[in-house]
Amino acid sequence: MTKNQHYVPQFYLRKFSDYEHRKQISVYNLHSQRFISCASIRGQAYKAFFYDNDGEIESCLSNIEYFASNAMAKLENNPIAMTHDEINTLYTFIALGYVRTKKFADEVNLQMEFLRKHLSSSSKALGLNVLEPFWLKNPGLECLSAFKSVYDNICDLKFYVFTNLTERQFITSDNPVIICNKFLDGQKYNYGMGGVALAGTTFILPISPYMVIYLCDEDVYEAINRAGVISDRNHVDILNKLQFANAENNVYYENKHMEKWITKYANSIHNILGQKRIKTSIASHEKTDENGELFVVADKIAEDNYSTPWLAICENNCLKLDIAVPFINIKKEPKYINSNGIFIRASCANML
């Protein structure tokens, strides 16, 4: 039985280790603001019985990780030779990586509690018992149930890989899969930007200190780095800051020389990104029709102006950007479907 169940794969963290046998890794802890050398990889990004009590789920995840590890190794060695199945394995790994972390589970629980509080404050709580907490009983396992939906909604995203040729290395974290939306961020979009089916969705995952994967909406973005080579260390810094802002507790890095840059990221992150997520945006409002029947309509709501009988849903799993994401530009005429003010990718519209 596996008690300590890892929500970030150990094989993945080993790719950011330069210690002998790759059993240790260098860590920066965000809360203590302390660098830790030679930290055991086995002791990183895990929680006791996070998925189940018998280790069966982690065993299944390990099988997927085996194929993902092989696919990443091939991508690093010979990207041109990647097969469709190998690339699909990486889509699977990214979708899983997005929903399987403790931070994702904690954010879902926060959303549920946020919902409960607003229901309980409403004079028309629809007859529900909203006094009991809405916490997920097994958040690690229950959040995994979102995997298929995420996977189905990202398979249409364009796969890009960029190789870092600078002396500045990529870092990673205990919440390594970044989702952001440069397009909607620039639109001053009033709904939540965390939806994986939205126009402009971008996933970013460093797979080593020298390589990063982008999944982008090609109806909205065009690549401006088609050579796939990163020669500007400022671009590496931007992606590292995104990773820093996305982390829960720990940032991981390979070489000691990165420590001065990590300190700079820590000092600047509050000014550039703040570690602030999009707090909430999507809401429903109770109304009564001419027959006195209660119904609900979608509407917009100011982030800090909730009042009964508003029923607000959090969307806090997407980074709010104040800096430009490198390597992609928004097209002059991006394509999307406008569904009552919600910008949806055409390929995903029939799934909603």
Side-chain angles (χ1 to χ4, degrees):
M1 178 177 65
T2 305
K3 175 183 177 181
N4 296 333
Q5 299 172 357
H6 292 82
Y7 47 85
V8 177
Q10 295 179 76
F11 93 84
Y12 172 77
L13 293 180
R14 283 195 288 271
K15 298 174 73 66
F16 292 83
S17 168
D18 66 349
Y19 290 98
E20 187 178 5
H21 306 304
R22 297 183 182 269
K23 292 183 178 181
Q24 289 84 33
I25 196 168
S26 297
V27 182
Y28 176 80
N29 182 266
L30 278 65
H31 301 292
S32 67
Q33 300 180 353
R34 185 166 64 96
F35 290 98
I36 305 168
S37 300
C38 300
S40 169
I41 288 179
R42 290 184 62 185
Q44 303 303 312
Y46 78 87
K47 187 176 180 181
F49 305 115
F50 186 58
Y51 301 115
D52 56 26
N53 291 326
D54 57 15
E56 184 176 348
I57 297 298
E58 190 169 46
S59 178
C60 292
L61 293 173
S62 295
N63 291 333
I64 297 173
E65 292 165 11
Y66 170 78
F67 290 104
S69 176
N70 291 339
M72 286 184 190
K74 186 171 180 180
L75 182 65
E76 291 177 89
N77 293 327
N78 191 359
I80 298 176
M82 293 289 289
T83 66
H84 173 79
D85 287 345
E86 288 165 336
I87 291 178
N88 184 62
T89 296
L90 295 178
Y91 277 88
T92 301
F93 182 79
I94 290 171
L96 267 177
Y98 177 57
V99 302
R100 68 180 287 188
T101 65
K102 180 178 176 294
K103 187 168 187 179
F104 184 89
D106 288 346
E107 288 178 346
V108 170
N109 264 331
L110 286 174
Q111 293 172 21
M112 299 294 286
E113 178 63 9
F114 183 87
L115 173 61
R116 183 191 69 81
K117 287 181 178 179
H118 281 272
L119 275 173
S120 63
S121 65
S122 173
S123 60
K124 298 178 180 178
L126 305 178
L128 297 174
N129 179 8
V130 294
L131 298 179
E132 294 296 325
F134 282 6
W135 298 108
L136 300 178
K137 293 181 179 179
N138 190 343
L141 178 61
E142 293 177 65
C143 286
L144 279 179
S145 66
F147 158 71
K148 188 178 186 304
S149 175
V150 173
Y151 171 79
D152 288 343
N153 282 298
I154 70 172
C155 283
D156 66 307
L157 298 177
K158 180 73 174 179
F159 186 97
Y160 292 103
V161 59
F162 300 101
T163 302
N164 177 13
L165 299 184
T166 76
E167 75 279 10
R168 190 94 81 248
Q169 297 177 340
F170 290 129
I171 63 175
T172 192
S173 73
D174 52 5
N175 190 44
V177 177
I178 297 167
I179 179 174
C180 55
N181 199 317
K182 178 180 180 180
F183 169 61
L184 292 183
D185 205 43
Q187 298 285 323
K188 296 183 179 179
Y189 192 61
N190 289 319
Y191 291 95
M193 290 187 282
V196 297
L198 293 176
T201 295
T202 303
F203 280 80
I204 303 172
L205 176 68
I207 62 170
S208 80
Y210 304 101
M211 186 167 282
V212 63
I213 292 174
Y214 268 50
L215 303 183
C216 295
D217 179 2
E218 62 179 340
D219 286 335
V220 169
Y221 305 114
E222 56 187 358
I224 55 175
N225 184 352
R226 296 192 176 276
V229 172
I230 305 171
S231 55
D232 187 342
R233 64 188 182 187
N234 291 323
H235 290 160
V236 179
D237 286 335
I238 291 172
L239 294 179
N240 283 346
K241 288 173 183 178
L242 288 173
Q243 190 64 233
F244 203 101
N246 205 53
E248 180 184 24
N249 295 312
N250 294 321
V251 165
Y252 305 106
Y253 57 98
E254 186 180 74
N255 287 335
K256 193 175 181 64
H257 78 268
M258 282 299 298
E259 291 184 358
K260 69 175 183 179
W261 296 107
I262 290 173
T263 300
K264 290 184 177 181
Y265 302 151
N267 291 336
S268 67
I269 200 70
H270 294 288
N271 295 327
I272 297 176
L273 290 171
Q275 291 185 32
K276 178 181 179 181
R277 299 272 179 135
I278 297 169
K279 183 177 179 181
T280 207
S281 306
I282 297 179
S284 297
H285 187 59
E286 299 174 10
K287 290 187 177 181
T288 305
D289 64 17
E290 58 186 10
N291 298 319
E293 295 292 329
L294 189 69
F295 68 100
V296 176
V297 294
D299 207 335
K300 298 178 183 179
I301 184 170
E303 184 171 291
D304 297 317
N305 184 28
Y306 302 116
S307 59
T308 58
W310 287 99
L311 177 65
I313 309 299
C314 289
E315 279 273 7
N316 63 349
N317 59 347
C318 178
L319 282 178
K320 184 173 177 59
L321 306 177
D322 294 318
I323 58 176
V325 177
F327 319 138
I328 55 173
N329 270 347
I330 299 171
K331 291 182 175 180
K332 291 182 178 179
E333 296 183 0
K335 299 177 182 178
Y336 56 88
I337 292 176
N338 188 337
S339 177
N340 296 320
I342 301 175
F343 296 175
I344 303 170
R345 295 201 306 281
S347 56
C348 294
N350 61 350
M351 298 183 186
L352 304 178

